[in-house]
């Protein structure tokens, strides 16, 4: 084979097929006698990865907003249909595919690449398109005994093979979910998710797996926030072994017949590097740097599909199509180009949207090393905001209004220069990145505003702590911001270490800044921020123990910590501390022996400083030490005050046990005042379409404090995890509410640990108060508890209902305002001390 | 943080009520030395009467405000606090208005109804301030439903334990459970009296059901049987039954107490509200007749 091809495509997955298909189309159009392209496939079939999918697997066509651009057909459907349609296209387009041609080495340069195959032959090509996917070696469990065996499997060909077994599926991606669901028809299945949510799963899988977990009749269980600690291999073939899991509740052993680990795969990086392609860092999941033509640092060598960082089929196929156009010198726009254009429309650039995208990525250090395509996705999911003044604003506003009726995509957001982006105390949790101009941001409540410049970001405090904004942010004139929703940012931080580390670093710097206000330079502070340790504690874990000697203090990043003291056989609660508070500073200022234990009331994240780092931070500055000593003294006084009312401390312990450590706004009833009239429930129902969102009588009580079953608007709302319709939001006032787009899937009901969400039909309309009062018409306020939904309501189906803290009621929470005896109040954790004082 | 209705807002409405009272007393005293003795017919009497009538109308509007759940006109607690203080003041205002002239007529009827409303209200304040704490203390940090659930569980366990015993024990246990009483009619609820019964088999001297106050009849019989039982398995089952019945005793007592106190907290409204409606009617007649027979 010494013929030189114009394009050699390596790998016949969706990307490679599409690229080869497009090249074949050109060959047909130009009536070539010999193909100018070749498609090299290492196996004896095309689309090996999809071929290996389970029989009958439903293949999805995410992302939905994107249109397909490829000579090959593709729409959501069964694995077999998709493979068949591609086989037909291979024939119809006359694609020059060479099976069993595994590539061993690529050498040469643009115009003259030499592709050496494992079978010894060589292919010559002017351009090479690498579409070899991500399916190198599967990622292993990383514990002893994790070699592939009958007990530990990294691939599941046919779920029907196994019946009446206990099977543990490890992983939370689409493959793990699909395997687990496939197996659950005939087996008892556990799915082990190292995170608290299925953030990487496609929408359809997400719905299906949550439905299975919710289904009480199904033997399908999920272990969240769980990692694999060890394996017990079966003694002989056919016997059961076990898996040891590290769960938030402690270690757990599950006896099982087999383990299916679907932890993704490590890219065939060494092969790609041997072709001369450079990777940005040493991380195992790093992806090569590509320009927007998908060309790598080796001219003429293009990388598309999963290896380029985009694992979705449709995106990969579009890239396959586009890369051939680029190679042929056609400057076409990607399929999502119109969405970008619309987002950038009101910006004062003459530049093309693609160039704006490039520019923005280069502007922000944290995003610079991100894959260009992931950055593209980030921008498409975010809002672009521009601040303008005077006539410019008015003109842009007119343009915006004119564009309101256009469908699809988001238009640039406008803000007047000098206006608040957010205010102190607001509960918004979007993340802002400045790409042009300045914004004046208070990094801590009451601190001097700082002018942030292009490339810097803000809003990370609320993103991480779940607490309200501390300090204001004001738009400068002509500044341009990327406003990224929390959901997208969380996903990005989970999948991109650079971004997570970048945000963490700045978070730490600013947290240290606001906690200690040191006078060190920002370089020194940055240095320190890189050194300190980030710690995570599960509910109930100790940050440190009484009596131990401590050489560190913790600055709380999120969650609530209680200080408890064992004294003469009883446990006294001394204090409860929230994000932004210091824990354990006494050990660095007074005696090193801990006088109390610090216990995480909910999941807690902290920044840990050792003595050396602490001293560098406060380094001989008397006023900082003074103020730290003052606040330490205040804490001690407050602790003793609480310890002197042991019952109060026990009441705090009770509140923490009820999960109120993560509350921001909880309904608390004083049992010494509550006469049980249920006017709170009636008020709730009457102000919320006839359905009460609180249940006064149920819920726990202690020392006259009653915590009714009602939403407490958590710092990091559990209900917001895994809402497929993205219908749950947090208002700027902190109220967590469900909007009209709820599809009634019940995920939030399942995810809420406090049982405060229920699914309900719409309640029937009621007569006016006076006609009920005087003429007995229909049901009165708050009646009846169990209504019969009318047929229209049944047609609409059940939807999730929960407390919205009466965000639409001008007068405030109806439950509290309707209480005739003053028993009902709404509180945040910072008021618990006052609540229990003197009890 | 939590304030009761009397302490609400630093007793703001107490001072308002005292103000109304002072004004009324001054008005009353200013009748001295007039052409006629103090009564409802002097101009001061009319003013006092008007104040009283307006108070009555406003006081009864609490029933409307309480159900206007979106209202931003103060909180219901504030209204209730004012209702209490101004309602108490009304008793004095009305007495000064009529100058304690009573007779067998519609005017005195209105006064008596008003006094009934106010006195029932005083009782209401008493129970509102004293009973919630007692009710909570009695419930031992669990909602009533949790106790009902536990009772149902205990009953089920008792029936299954009884299945290991003779037919007579089975029938006694089943009947004791069936005839256990808590709540019931108006007086049963408020008295908290235990009307539980048990129907014993003929051999046990039964015929008519016997009172089973505090489950004592069954406990007594179980205790009597345990040392005399022949089979070890039956003794164990009887032992378990004894434990379960003393638990039932506790739960049933707690529930009766809960119902009794919860009833006391509510029952006064059954007087307070209808009397108010009657008062409004009598007041209307009183005012009309005064104007007609002027």
């Amino acid at each position: 084979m010494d013929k030189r091809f114009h394009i050699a495509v390596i790998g016949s997955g969706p990307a490679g097929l599409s690229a080869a298909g497009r090249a074949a189309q050109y060959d047909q159009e130009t009536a070539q006698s010999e193909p100018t392209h070749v498609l090299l496939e290492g196996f004896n079939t095309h689309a090996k990865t999809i071929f290996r999918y389970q029989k009958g697997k439903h293949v999805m066509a995410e992302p939905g907003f994107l249109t397909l651009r490829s000579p090959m057909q593709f729409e959501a459907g069964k694995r077999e249909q998709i493979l068949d349609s591609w086989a037909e296209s291979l024939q119809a387009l006359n694609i020059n595919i060479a099976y069993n041609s595994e590539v061993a080495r690529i050498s040469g340069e643009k115009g003259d690449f030499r592709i050496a195959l494992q079978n010894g032959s060589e292919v010559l090509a002017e351009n090479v398109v690498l579409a070899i996917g991500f399916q190198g070696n599967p990622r292993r469990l990383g514990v002893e005994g994790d070699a592939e065996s009958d007990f530990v499997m990294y691939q599941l060909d046919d779920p029907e093979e196994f019946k009446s077994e206990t099977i543990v599926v490890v992983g939370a991606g689409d493959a793990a979910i699909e395997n687990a669901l496939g197996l659950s028809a005939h087996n008892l299945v556990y799915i082990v998710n190292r995170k608290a949510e299925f953030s990487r799963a496609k929408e359809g899988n997400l719905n299906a797996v949550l439905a299975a977990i919710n289904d009480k009749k199904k033997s399908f269980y999920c272990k969240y926030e769980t990692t694999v600690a060890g394996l017990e291999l079966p003694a002989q073939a056919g016997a059961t072994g076990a898996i040891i899991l590290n769960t938030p509740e402690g270690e757990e052993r599950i006896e099982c017949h087999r383990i299916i680990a679907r932890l993704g795969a490590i890219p065939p990086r060494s092969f790609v590097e041997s072709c001369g392609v450079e990777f940005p860092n040493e991380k195992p999941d790093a992806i090569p740097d590509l320009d927007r033509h998908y060309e790598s640092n080796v001219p003429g060598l293009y990388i598309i599909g999963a290896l380029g960082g985009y694992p979705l089929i449709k995106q990969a196929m579009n890239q396959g199509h586009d890369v051939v156009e680029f190679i042929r010198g056609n400057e076409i726009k990607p399929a999502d180009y119109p969405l970008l254009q619309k987002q950038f429309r009101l910006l004062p650039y003459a530049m093309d949207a693609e160039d704006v995208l490039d520019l923005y990525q280069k502007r922000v250090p944290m995003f610079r090393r991100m894959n260009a395509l992931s950055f593209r996705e980030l921008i498409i999911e975010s809002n672009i905001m521009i601040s303008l003044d005077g006539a410019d604003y008015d003109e842009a506003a007119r343009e915006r209004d004119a564009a309101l009726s256009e469908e699809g995509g988001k238009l640039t957001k406008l803000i007047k220069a000098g206006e608040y982006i957010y205010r102190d105390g607001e509960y918004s949790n979007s993340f802002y990145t400045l790409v042009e101009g300045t914004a004046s941001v208070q990094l801590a409540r009451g601190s001097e505003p700082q002018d942030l410049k292009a490339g810097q970001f803000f809003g990370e405090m609320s993103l991480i702590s779940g607490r309200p904004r501390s300090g204001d942010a004001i738009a400068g004139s002509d500044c341009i911001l990327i406003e990224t929703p929390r959901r997208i940012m969380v996903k990005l931080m989970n999948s991109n270490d650079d971004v997570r580390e970048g945000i963490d670093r700045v978070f730490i710097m600013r947290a240290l800044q606001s906690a200690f206000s040191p006078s060190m330079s920002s370089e020194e502070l940055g240095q320190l921020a890189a050194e300190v340790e980030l710690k995570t504690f599960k509910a109930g874990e100790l940050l440190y123990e009484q009596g131990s000697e401590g050489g560190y203090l913790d600055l709380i990043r999120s969650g609530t910590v209680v200080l408890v003291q064992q004294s003469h056989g009883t446990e006294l609660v001394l204090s409860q501390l929230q994000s932004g508070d210091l824990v354990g500073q006494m050990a660095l200022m007074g005696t090193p022996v801990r006088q109390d234990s610090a216990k995480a009331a909910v999941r807690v994240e902290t920044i840990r400083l050792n003595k050396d780092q602490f001293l560098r931070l406060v380094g001989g500055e008397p006023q900082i030490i003074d103020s730290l000593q003052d606040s330490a003294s205040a804490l001690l006084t407050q602790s003793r005050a609480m310890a002197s009312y042991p019952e109060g401390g026990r009441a705090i312990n009770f509140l923490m046990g009820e999960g109120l450590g993560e509350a921001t706004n909880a309904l608390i009833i004083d049992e010494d005042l509550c006469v049980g009239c249920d006017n709170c429930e009636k008020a709730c129902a009457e102000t919320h379409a006839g359905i009460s969102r609180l249940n006064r009588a149920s819920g726990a009580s202690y020392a006259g404090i009653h915590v009714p079953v009602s939403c407490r608007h958590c710092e990091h709302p559990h209900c917001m995890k895994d809402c497929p319709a993205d219908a749950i939001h947090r208002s700027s006032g902190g109220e967590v509410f469900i909007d009209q787009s709820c599809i009634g899937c019940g995920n939030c009901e399942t995810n809420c640990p406090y049982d405060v969400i229920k699914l309900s039909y719409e309640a029937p309309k009621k007569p006016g108060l006076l006609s009920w009062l005087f003429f007995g018409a229909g049901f009165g306020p708050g009646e009846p508890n169990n209504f019969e939904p009318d047929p229209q309501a049944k047609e609409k189906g059940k939807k999730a209902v929960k407390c919205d803290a009466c965000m639409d009621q001008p007068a405030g929470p109806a439950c509290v305002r309707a209480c005739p005896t003053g028993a009902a109040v709404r509180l945040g954790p910072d008021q618990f001390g006052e609540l229990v004082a003197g009890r | 943080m939590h304030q009761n209705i009397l302490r609400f807002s630093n007793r703001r409405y107490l001072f308002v009520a005292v103000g109304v009272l002072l004004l009324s007393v001054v008005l009353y005293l200013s009748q001295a030395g007039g052409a006629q003795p103090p009564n409802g017919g002097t101009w001061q009497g009319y003013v006092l009467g008007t104040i009283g009538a307006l108070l009555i109308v406003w006081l009864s509007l609490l029933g409307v405000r309480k159900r206007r759940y979106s209202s931003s006109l103060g909180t219901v607690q504030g209204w209730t606090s004012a209702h209490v203080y101004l309602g108490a003041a009304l008793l004095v205002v009305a007495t000064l208005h009529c100058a304690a002239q009573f007779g067998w007529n519609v005017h005195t009827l209105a006064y008596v109804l008003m006094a009934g409303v106010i006195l029932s209200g005083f009782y209401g304040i008493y129970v509102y301030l004293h009973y919630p704490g007692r009710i909570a203390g009695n419930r031992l940090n669990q909602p009533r439903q949790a106790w009902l659930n536990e009772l149902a569980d205990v009953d089920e366990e008792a029936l299954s334990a009884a299945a290991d015993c003779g037919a007579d024990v089975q029938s006694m246990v089943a009947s004791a459970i069936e005839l256990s009483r808590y709540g019931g009619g108006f007086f049963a609820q408020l008295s908290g009296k235990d009307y539980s019964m048990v129907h014993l088999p003929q051999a046990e001297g039964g015929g008519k059901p016997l009172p089973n106050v505090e489950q004592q009849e069954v406990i007594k019989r179980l205790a009597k049987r345990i040392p005399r039982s022949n089979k070890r398995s039956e003794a164990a089952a009887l032992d378990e039954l004894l434990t379960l019945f003393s638990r039932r005793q506790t739960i049933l007592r707690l529930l009766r107490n809960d119902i009794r106190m919860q009833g006391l907290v509510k029952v006064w409204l059954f007087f307070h509200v209808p009397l108010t409606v009657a008062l409004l009617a009598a007041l209307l007649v009183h005012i009309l007749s005064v104007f007609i027979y002027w």
Side-chain angles (χ1 to χ4, degrees):
Chain A
M1 240 197 261
D2 51 4
K3 175 184 171 354
R4 189 190 304 258
F5 292 103
H6 179 53
I7 298 175
V9 182
I10 302 175
S12 70
L17 277 175
S18 182
R22 185 69 187 141
Q25 268 183 336
Y26 272 113
D27 284 352
Q28 283 185 344
E29 279 168 25
T30 53
Q32 302 281 341
S33 55
E34 292 281 312
T36 67
H37 73 279
V38 63
L39 175 58
L40 301 171
E41 169 54 55
F43 285 77
N44 56 2
T45 175
H46 61 276
K48 176 196 66 178
T49 308
I50 293 169
F51 183 79
R52 276 203 185 159
Y53 280 176
Q54 302 165 24
K55 280 178 201 151
K57 175 185 150 130
H58 182 79
V59 181
M60 301 197 208
E62 301 284 314
F65 58 80
L66 208 60
T67 47
L68 178 72
R69 199 192 258 181
S70 170
M72 320 288 284
Q73 294 289 312
F74 175 61
E75 55 192 32
K78 279 201 184 336
R79 159 191 174 273
E80 287 75 11
Q81 295 165 352
I82 289 163
L83 288 172
D84 286 352
S85 93
W86 287 346
E88 276 169 35
S89 300
L90 269 169
Q91 293 264 316
L93 293 166
N94 207 8
I95 292 175
N96 181 25
I97 183 165
Y99 290 108
N100 298 317
S101 306
E102 194 178 347
V103 175
R105 203 172 55 255
I106 302 174
S107 54
E109 57 190 28
K110 187 173 173 111
D112 185 25
F113 283 109
R114 308 178 83 82
I115 303 167
L117 303 183
Q118 293 285 17
N119 59 22
S121 55
E122 200 168 60
V123 175
L124 304 180
E126 290 162 16
N127 298 287
V128 175
V129 177
L130 266 185
I132 55 179
F134 214 64
Q135 293 281 330
N137 299 317
R139 195 164 280 143
R140 305 252 289 250
L141 286 170
V143 292
E144 202 169 311
D146 69 352
E148 179 138 32
S149 63
D150 272 354
F151 182 61
V152 182
M153 296 167 61
Y154 292 98
Q155 164 83 30
L156 176 68
D157 290 329
D158 183 6
E160 295 288 311
E161 240 177 279
F162 308 113
K163 301 239 159 95
S164 311
E165 291 192 352
T166 301
I167 300 177
V168 178
V169 177
V170 185
D174 291 306
I177 294 173
E178 283 155 15
N179 284 177
L181 291 172
L183 288 165
S184 71
H186 304 290
N187 302 283
L188 166 63
V189 175
Y190 289 89
I191 183 163
V192 175
N193 183 350
R194 127 184 107 87
K195 299 257 166 63
E197 48 196 287
F198 287 92
S199 55
R200 296 201 329 257
K202 279 182 284 202
E203 199 170 300
N205 277 332
L206 182 64
N207 294 346
V209 73
L210 290 168
I213 296 167
N214 295 350
D215 190 343
K216 299 200 168 56
K217 280 172 274 172
K218 235 176 171 171
S219 312
F220 191 98
Y221 306 97
C222 180
K223 297 277 172 199
Y224 286 106
E225 293 181 76
T226 294
T227 53
V228 177
L231 297 174
E232 287 171 26
L233 299 181
Q236 76 260 3
T240 56
I243 185 166
I244 315 294
L245 298 176
N246 203 348
T247 73
E249 289 83 39
E251 218 164 68
E252 190 177 338
R253 178 179 181 277
I254 296 177
E255 201 168 289
C256 56
H257 294 84
R258 68 191 76 246
I259 295 160
I260 315 272
R262 301 306 302 266
L263 303 168
I266 304 163
R269 175 164 174 167
S270 52
F271 167 72
V272 179
E273 278 180 323
S274 76
C275 304
V277 176
E278 283 164 13
F279 283 77
N281 58 40
E282 284 309 309
K283 299 228 178 69
D285 54 356
I287 33 189
D289 277 333
L290 304 174
D291 69 7
R292 70 163 194 261
H293 293 148
Y294 313 119
E295 193 168 7
S296 69
N297 61 303
V298 178
L301 183 65
Y302 297 81
I303 296 177
I304 56 172
L307 183 60
Y310 228 91
L312 297 176
I313 294 174
K314 202 198 280 177
Q315 192 88 28
M317 292 180 74
N318 284 354
Q319 290 176 359
H321 171 276
D322 293 353
V323 77
V324 171
E325 300 294 340
F326 295 143
I327 291 171
R328 297 184 66 92
N330 301 332
E331 266 305 313
I332 57 144
K333 305 293 183 196
D336 54 15
Y337 180 72
L339 300 179
L340 273 184
Q341 260 186 324
K342 188 166 177 187
Q343 271 187 313
F344 296 149
R345 189 179 308 165
L346 303 183
L347 303 185
Y349 296 131
M351 261 187 283
D352 183 75
E354 295 290 346
D355 298 321
V356 176
L357 193 69
D358 273 357
L359 179 76
Y360 283 179
Q361 186 169 11
K362 289 196 188 102
R363 284 262 169 92
V364 186
M366 182 174 70
F367 293 150
R368 235 171 255 165
R369 297 200 307 194
M370 222 171 131
N371 182 281
L373 303 169
S374 313
F375 183 70
R376 193 183 188 95
E377 193 201 0
L378 170 85
I379 292 292
I380 286 174
E381 295 276 7
S382 301
N383 280 307
I384 306 297
M385 256 168 106
I386 179 166
S387 75
L388 294 168
D389 18 34
D392 290 344
Y393 179 89
D394 298 337
E395 192 189 328
R398 272 195 298 278
E399 199 178 337
R400 177 196 59 196
D401 295 343
L404 279 180
S405 57
E406 288 176 28
E407 276 185 17
K410 289 179 265 196
L411 188 65
T412 327
K413 262 173 105 169
L414 287 179
I415 181 172
K416 276 203 174 117
E419 266 187 14
Y420 288 97
I421 299 166
Y422 57 71
R423 280 168 183 268
D424 180 61
E426 254 179 36
Y427 268 93
S428 56
N429 44 27
S430 300
F431 179 84
Y432 296 89
T433 314
L434 257 174
V435 285
E436 194 138 315
T438 61
S440 162
V441 179
Q442 281 179 312
L443 298 177
R445 183 160 301 147
S447 73
E448 198 58 34
Q450 295 196 16
D451 273 341
L452 299 188
K453 295 186 181 56
Q456 291 186 291
F457 55 80
F458 55 96
E460 77 291 339
M461 287 276 181
S462 293
L463 177 74
I464 288 171
S465 71
R467 306 277 305 161
R469 302 284 189 194
S470 49
D472 300 327
I474 298 169
S477 55
D478 298 325
C479 79
I480 299 176
L481 290 158
I482 306 171
E483 179 193 45
T484 314
R486 174 177 183 270
R487 183 172 59 91
I488 301 301
M489 229 39 227
V490 167
K491 189 175 164 190
L492 187 60
M493 285 169 72
N494 282 341
S495 57
N496 188 314
D497 291 344
D498 281 343
V499 172
R500 195 187 59 240
E501 282 163 16
I503 292 176
D504 275 344
R505 175 87 48 92
V506 169
F507 179 96
I508 294 169
M509 279 175 68
R510 290 180 184 165
L512 294 177
Q513 182 86 44
S514 75
F516 299 99
S517 32
S519 60
M520 53 172 46
S521 70
S522 61
E523 285 75 40
E524 285 174 297
L525 192 61
Q527 178 67 30
L528 190 67
E531 289 171 29
V532 299
E533 205 183 347
L534 286 181
K535 305 281 285 182
T536 306
F537 303 90
K538 293 174 205 158
E541 254 188 291
L542 295 181
L543 281 71
Y544 58 76
E545 200 172 2
Q546 186 176 348
S548 66
E549 215 162 285
Y552 54 84
L553 64 79
D554 288 276
L555 174 58
I556 306 175
R557 238 155 80 95
S558 71
T560 297
V561 172
V562 283
L563 299 182
V564 292
Q565 189 174 49
Q566 297 292 335
S567 167
H568 301 96
T570 53
E571 192 180 77
L572 298 174
V573 174
L574 300 182
S575 188
Q576 45 136 4
L577 303 162
Q578 269 98 38
S579 58
D581 289 337
L582 293 176
V583 189
Q585 70 273 46
M586 265 14 131
L588 301 185
M589 287 194 264
T591 152
V593 178
R594 305 286 191 187
Q595 300 301 306
D596 46 32
S597 300
K599 191 162 77 177
V602 288
R603 193 188 127 92
V604 167
E605 289 184 315
T606 72
I607 299 168
R608 181 161 284 183
L609 291 166
N610 62 31
K611 186 154 196 161
D612 165 56
Q613 290 159 346
F614 173 69
L615 290 177
R616 271 162 62 202
L617 202 55
V618 299
E621 282 179 64
Q623 74 276 21
I624 301 178
I625 296 175
D626 261 4
S627 83
L628 283 175
Q629 283 167 339
D630 282 351
S631 63
S633 305
L635 180 64
L636 283 173
T637 321
Q638 183 212 328
S639 304
R640 291 342 295 177
M642 197 176 272
S644 72
Y645 290 110
E647 189 59 16
R650 279 192 280 274
I652 289 275
N653 232 359
F654 158 74
L655 293 171
M656 294 301 133
E658 288 301 305
L660 289 168
E662 60 178 334
T664 63
N665 177 358
L667 178 63
I668 307 277
I669 292 177
D670 185 344
E671 290 193 320
D672 288 336
L673 294 178
C674 176
V675 294
C677 65
D678 278 337
N679 211 37
C680 46
E681 278 187 28
K682 290 174 194 162
C684 185
E686 291 307 306
T687 47
H688 295 89
I691 302 161
S692 173
R693 284 102 210 274
L694 79 100
N695 187 339
R696 177 200 55 85
S698 56
S701 308
Y702 182 81
I705 298 171
H706 177 59
V707 182
V709 173
S710 146
C711 179
R712 56 277 301 277
H713 304 269
C714 300
E715 286 182 352
H716 288 292
H718 300 269
C719 53
M720 280 167 90
K721 291 173 193 172
D722 290 341
C723 175
D726 193 21
I728 310 182
H729 310 277
R730 165 157 249 158
S731 77
S732 58
E735 302 90 350
V736 177
F737 64 98
I738 303 178
D739 71 20
Q740 287 303 308
S741 60
C742 172
I743 55 170
C745 69
N747 291 351
C748 51
E749 189 194 24
T750 310
N751 283 333
C752 174
Y754 308 114
D755 276 341
V756 304
I757 304 183
K758 60 185 176 183
L759 293 175
S760 176
Y761 291 114
E762 267 177 27
K765 277 238 174 300
K766 284 188 183 175
L769 176 64
L770 293 180
S771 47
W772 165 76
L773 207 58
F774 294 125
F775 308 109
F779 292 114
E783 302 171 18
N785 286 327
N786 298 309
F787 54 84
E788 183 58 38
D790 56 37
Q792 281 159 305
K794 278 202 161 162
E795 180 84 1
K796 283 189 193 165
K798 287 185 177 183
K799 290 195 172 187
V801 292
K802 74 177 279 297
C803 163
D804 60 1
C806 289
M807 51 188 283
D808 300 327
Q809 294 289 318
C815 50
V816 172
R817 301 180 53 79
C819 178
T821 62
V825 292
R826 298 197 72 97
L827 304 174
D830 46 337
Q831 290 161 294
F832 291 166
E834 200 187 327
L835 172 71
V836 303
R839 263 176 206 274
Chain B
M1 180 150 306
H2 284 107
Q3 280 178 321
N4 68 33
I5 38 179
L6 296 184
R7 296 218 177 95
F8 176 82
S9 195
N10 294 323
R11 302 181 191 268
R12 179 195 299 173
Y13 296 106
L14 171 63
F15 297 110
V16 175
V18 168
V20 171
L21 281 182
L22 285 176
L23 176 70
S24 307
V25 169
V26 168
L27 275 171
Y28 178 79
L29 293 177
S30 69
Q31 293 176 87
Q36 42 179 323
N39 70 79
T42 63
W43 72 264
Q44 292 96 335
Y46 276 114
V47 173
L48 282 169
T50 308
I51 295 175
L54 289 176
L55 274 176
I56 289 171
V57 170
W58 179 82
L59 288 165
S60 37
L61 283 177
L62 176 66
V64 175
R65 168 63 187 90
K66 192 185 134 185
R67 292 174 179 84
R68 291 280 182 222
Y69 297 104
S70 302
S71 169
S72 52
L73 197 64
T75 62
V76 175
Q77 193 196 3
W79 274 67
T80 313
S81 182
H83 182 88
V84 165
Y85 284 118
L86 292 175
L90 174 65
L91 195 56
V92 180
V93 172
T95 310
L96 294 176
H97 161 65
C98 69
Q101 293 174 349
F102 300 114
W104 296 100
N105 52 40
V106 70
H107 314 294
T108 301
L109 173 67
Y111 183 90
V112 169
L113 287 171
M114 183 203 72
V117 172
I118 295 173
L119 292 177
S120 65
F122 285 159
Y123 174 76
I125 299 168
Y126 173 78
V127 291
Y128 268 35
L129 292 181
H130 291 88
Y131 273 73
R134 288 187 208 172
I135 293 172
N138 177 58
R139 270 187 207 152
L140 301 171
N141 294 331
Q142 283 203 70
R144 184 190 286 179
Q145 191 56 47
W147 291 109
L148 292 171
N149 293 345
E150 187 179 339
L151 183 63
D153 291 346
V154 168
D155 287 353
E156 210 164 288
E157 284 171 46
L159 286 171
S160 83
D164 294 340
C165 305
D168 49 344
V169 173
Q170 280 186 42
S171 105
M172 175 177 74
V173 167
S175 121
I177 290 174
E178 195 187 333
L179 298 178
S180 290
R181 293 286 176 265
Y182 55 87
F186 184 79
F187 290 105
Q189 284 195 28
L190 290 184
S191 69
K193 203 171 155 223
D194 188 354
Y195 292 101
S196 297
M197 307 287 270
V198 60
H199 201 150
L200 296 172
Q202 284 297 341
E204 297 274 333
K208 272 198 256 170
L210 297 176
N212 188 23
V213 175
E214 295 278 336
Q215 303 297 305
Q216 279 306 319
E217 190 62 36
V218 173
I219 288 175
K220 207 167 70 193
R221 281 168 192 274
L222 287 171
K224 201 167 159 193
R225 280 184 94 110
I226 291 169
R228 291 172 179 77
S229 75
N230 300 326
K231 280 190 289 181
R232 191 180 282 179
S233 66
E234 195 190 39
L238 288 170
D239 255 340
E240 192 189 342
L241 279 175
L242 187 62
T243 312
L244 290 170
F245 267 85
S246 57
R247 185 68 187 153
R248 295 191 82 240
Q249 180 189 359
T250 311
I251 300 174
L252 286 165
R253 188 194 299 141
L254 184 147
L255 285 171
R256 269 192 303 273
N257 266 329
D258 188 47
I259 291 166
R260 181 180 66 84
M261 292 192 284
Q262 201 65 261
L264 288 174
V265 167
K266 285 202 177 112
V267 69
W268 65 279
L269 283 167
F270 289 96
F271 299 94
H272 195 71
V273 176
L275 280 176
T276 302
V277 176
L279 164 62
L280 285 171
L283 182 69
L284 190 66
V285 175
H286 161 66
I287 293 170
L288 287 178
S289 62
V290 164
F291 281 109
I292 289 166
Y293 298 109
W294 196 333

